[in-house]
Amino acid sequence: MSTLDKTFVDNSSWKPDLFKGKVVFVTGGAGTICRVQVEALVLLGANAAIIGRNPEKTAKAAKEIQDLRPGAKVIGIGQVDVREVEQLANAAKKTVAELGRIDFVIAGAAGNFLSDFNHLSANAFKSVVSIDLLGSFNTVKATFSELKKNKGAILFVSATLHYYGVPFQTHVGAAKAGIDALSNALAVELGPLGIRSNCIAPGAIAGTEGFERLSPSGTEGLGKVPLARWGTTRDIAESTVFLFSPAASYVTGTIQVVDGGYWHLGNFAGEFYPKVIKNQNSIDNPKL
C-alpha cells in the first residue's frame, strides 16, 4: 500500500511535473524507505524501475506506485541480487529498453540485524558489507553509461551509525561508512562528467522495518531528538526530491542527514545498551 498520494503534489513545495521525462533506477525500491522516495518522484512526473530480490513483492510495489499518477510507467524487476553486477547490468538494460533512459539512481538495497561482535560471524559481516557497500558500487557501475549520457545524479542511502559507537551494529556501521566514502570519491571523480553523487542518512524513521527492530518503542528515546518527534518516510522523500531537483544542481559530495538532530546528542546506548548487554554479549558460543 502506498504512503503518498496526489495530495503530496497538491500540498507540496515542489512544482508538478518537476521530473517529467526523467527515469529513476532504484535498488531496494519495494522497501519501506526507498518505496516512498520512488512514490514522491513518480508523483512529480518521473517514471521508475524498482529492483529487488523478491519478484512478487517488487512487481506488486511497482503496480501500486504506477497507479499513483495517470500516465506513469513503473516497472518491477525481481530476482536481482545487488552483489552480482551482471544481474544489475541486465536490469539497467531492461530499464532503458522499456523506459528509454536512466537519469537518477538510488542505491538503497540493504541488510541489517542486531548482533554483538562475539556472535557476529565473519560470513554475516561479509554479507551485510556485500549487500550495502558492494551492492552500492555495483549499482552505479551498472548504470554508469546512462548517468554519463544524461548527466545524471546518484543518491546513496546511508545512515548515522558510524558517527559514533553503536553497539550491535558493527557490520552496518562499517558498510555505511564505506558508502559515504564511495559517494565522496565519486562526487570528485565523476563531477567533470556532470554526474552528482550524494548520500541521504535517515535517522529513526517511524513505521519502517529498521525502526521496529532498532529503535526504542513509543515515546521512549524522544528526549534525544531535538525536534521532539520521530521521522517519517515523507521526510526522507522530501530531501530526496531536493537532492535530485534543479535546486541542488551545485550540490554534490554531501551527506544529507535527516534525523531531527538526533545524532548530535550521541548514540542511543544509554537507553538501549543496558537492556540487552547481558543477553547479547555472552562469551559462550562465539560465532566465527
Side-chain angles (χ1 to χ4, degrees):
M1 182 177 178
S2 297
T3 298
L4 301 181
D5 57 29
K6 186 177 180 297
T7 60
F8 174 77
V9 180
D10 296 338
N11 303 320
S12 175
S13 302
W14 311 105
K15 293 180 180 179
D17 293 330
L18 178 64
F19 298 120
K20 185 176 182 180
K22 302 294 186 180
V23 174
V24 58
F25 180 96
V26 187
T27 61
T32 47
I33 284 182
C34 291
R35 172 169 175 157
V36 182
Q37 292 176 292
V38 180
E39 289 176 0
L41 297 173
V42 168
L43 282 164
L44 291 169
N47 291 326
I50 61 173
I51 317 303
R53 297 190 70 176
N54 185 313
E56 292 77 19
K57 181 179 179 182
T58 302
K60 181 175 183 290
K63 175 64 168 60
E64 291 172 349
I65 296 170
Q66 179 172 277
D67 289 343
L68 291 174
R69 176 175 60 81
K73 187 167 185 182
V74 180
I75 62 173
I77 306 175
Q79 293 185 320
V80 177
D81 186 337
V82 296
R83 293 171 290 188
E84 301 296 333
V85 69
E86 288 298 330
Q87 293 183 21
L88 281 165
N90 289 334
K93 290 176 184 176
K94 183 174 182 179
T95 300
V96 173
E98 296 196 26
L99 302 180
R101 58 191 292 137
I102 296 172
D103 300 276
F104 306 137
V105 170
I106 299 176
N112 195 1
F113 50 86
L114 290 172
S115 179
D116 68 297
F117 173 78
N118 190 49
H119 293 99
L120 179 67
S121 70
N123 188 59
F125 182 90
K126 178 182 178 182
S127 179
V128 170
V129 171
S130 294
I131 293 170
D132 289 33
L133 179 53
L134 177 61
S136 293
F137 174 88
N138 287 344
T139 300
V140 178
K141 197 75 171 174
T143 56
F144 174 68
S145 62
E146 283 294 304
L147 288 168
K148 180 180 178 182
K149 182 190 305 180
N150 300 315
K151 297 186 184 302
I154 307 159
L155 185 61
F156 296 96
V157 180
S158 187
T160 61
L161 296 169
H162 51 292
Y163 297 178
Y164 36 72
V166 176
F168 320 121
Q169 291 286 273
T170 306
H171 45 324
V172 187
K176 297 302 188 183
I179 287 172
D180 288 2
L182 173 63
S183 178
N184 290 343
L186 290 180
V188 174
E189 187 172 338
L190 305 185
L193 300 176
I195 300 172
R196 296 186 298 111
S197 176
N198 293 289
C199 289
I200 191 165
I205 306 300
T208 64
E209 297 168 15
F211 184 89
E212 297 301 323
R213 288 197 304 268
L214 307 176
S215 298
S217 61
T219 59
E220 185 182 359
L222 275 178
K224 286 193 173 185
V225 182
L227 290 184
R229 69 171 176 86
W230 298 124
T232 67
T233 50
R234 177 164 178 161
D235 291 322
I236 305 303
E238 296 278 10
S239 291
T240 299
V241 171
F242 165 69
L243 288 169
F244 281 141
S245 77
S249 64
Y250 201 56
V251 177
T252 193
T254 67
I255 300 166
Q256 179 65 64
V257 178
V258 187
D259 76 340
Y262 189 44
W263 81 270
H264 287 290
L265 297 182
N267 66 31
F268 53 73
E271 298 171 37
F272 175 75
Y273 190 71
K275 296 180 182 179
V276 295
I277 182 62
K278 290 183 179 179
N279 292 329
Q280 289 275 16
N281 212 28
S282 167
I283 61 172
D284 298 329
N285 302 317
K287 293 289 183 68
L288 296 177

